[in-house]
Amino acid sequence: INLLQQQCHLNPQSVIADLGSGTGIFTRLLLNAGYTVYAVEPNDAMRNASVIDLGRSPKFHPVNGRAKATGLPAKTADLVVCAQAFHWFDAEKAKVEFKRILKPGGMVALIWNNRDIEADAFSIAYELLLQQEGTDYKKVNHQNLTEADFASFFKNGQYQLTKFANVQVFDEAGLIGRALSSSYVPTEDTTEGRHFVAQLKGLFNQHQTNGKVNIYYQTEVYIGQV
């Protein structure tokens, strides 16, 4: 948040469009920092969950829309953010829409948690499990995006990339919940899902220390104009 404030020249009156806002995890951080947020999410269940969680905030505005057609008025936002979402978008159509809804000089921030797949033995084993058992893991993995993709998206190919190290610590139930929240993991109540969970439990038991495992990340923030 501090990085966005500094690099995107935000002030207390700034308006932010959070595209692909989901259940509002990142939206909450923006609201807590005092900004007005238009949370654009096409999935009814996730958008409704954000309303239940954040609806009491007068600066929270849920919107049923998509990155290529937000439904927001032109020149609404000082900043567009996409947290763990941009890899789902049609980049060219999204770019046109971002330009339309941004105020002159407005910025775009694309944000991901990039899992370190070789941090330790558990990280290596977990990545292998996802590759073997994930439904469309290789297709939707945001790491498929290249420097060329970002260069073609941002204005004049110019953007700033900042990385922050972070870690999630999980017990067995937390690890299973984290895995099942991913779109590329089989649904829990299917044969494939039950098989996946059984294998994941085996990995946890093999690699846990004091009932916990770690998942290591680099949080990547790409900031620029479009």
Side-chain angles (χ1 to χ4, degrees):
I1 297 299
N2 289 340
L3 178 73
L4 295 181
Q5 289 171 337
Q6 295 164 7
Q7 297 300 322
C8 302
H9 314 294
L10 301 179
N11 60 60
Q13 286 72 48
S14 293
V15 176
I16 301 176
D18 183 3
L19 303 191
S21 55
T23 58
I25 294 172
F26 197 74
T27 306
R28 172 185 286 277
L29 298 180
L30 298 170
L31 291 171
N32 287 346
Y35 301 113
T36 296
V37 183
Y38 288 88
V40 180
E41 172 55 52
N43 182 283
D44 291 340
M46 291 204 291
R47 190 178 63 258
N48 290 340
S50 72
V51 171
I52 292 171
D53 189 34
L54 305 172
R56 290 182 296 276
S57 171
K59 293 191 173 185
F60 171 66
H61 304 282
V63 180
N64 181 4
R66 297 177 177 273
K68 62 184 179 182
T70 62
L72 297 178
K75 298 180 174 58
T76 293
D78 299 282
L79 170 66
V80 167
V81 298
C82 309
Q84 210 77 16
F86 182 77
H87 54 288
W88 292 105
F89 302 165
D90 181 317
E92 288 305 312
K93 292 180 179 179
K95 183 175 181 176
V96 172
E97 180 69 350
F98 291 8
K99 286 183 178 180
R100 188 186 69 81
I101 66 174
L102 280 167
K103 298 175 184 178
M107 308 289 284
V108 175
L110 310 180
I111 305 166
W112 286 276
N113 280 316
N114 186 16
R115 184 164 40 83
D116 186 344
I117 62 176
E118 297 182 340
D120 57 12
F122 171 73
S123 300
I124 294 170
Y126 183 61
E127 172 67 12
L128 183 60
L129 176 63
L130 293 177
Q131 290 185 10
Q132 292 175 337
E133 304 294 338
T135 54
D136 55 354
Y137 175 61
K138 293 182 180 179
K139 179 180 178 181
V140 304
N141 188 348
H142 71 267
Q143 295 178 50
N144 293 333
L145 292 168
T146 66
E147 290 183 13
D149 294 319
F150 294 114
S152 65
F153 179 77
F154 285 104
K155 184 177 180 180
N156 299 324
Q158 297 182 350
Y159 60 90
Q160 174 185 308
L161 170 59
T162 305
K163 298 182 180 182
F164 302 92
N166 72 83
V167 61
Q168 285 181 304
V169 182
F170 292 112
D171 59 13
E172 182 182 84
L175 176 65
I176 293 170
R178 184 259 178 270
L180 291 175
S181 72
S182 300
S183 64
Y184 46 75
V185 168
T187 306
E188 185 176 13
D189 59 358
T190 63
T191 300
E192 294 80 5
R194 288 188 286 271
H195 177 68
F196 175 86
V197 170
Q199 290 187 288
L200 186 58
K201 287 182 176 180
L203 287 185
F204 178 86
N205 290 330
Q206 180 181 354
H207 295 284
Q208 60 84 23
T209 300
N210 298 322
K212 301 288 176 63
V213 294
N214 296 335
I215 294 183
Y216 298 92
Y217 300 89
Q218 290 281 336
T219 298
E220 300 180 346
V221 186
Y222 297 79
I223 296 176
Q225 294 183 323
V226 293

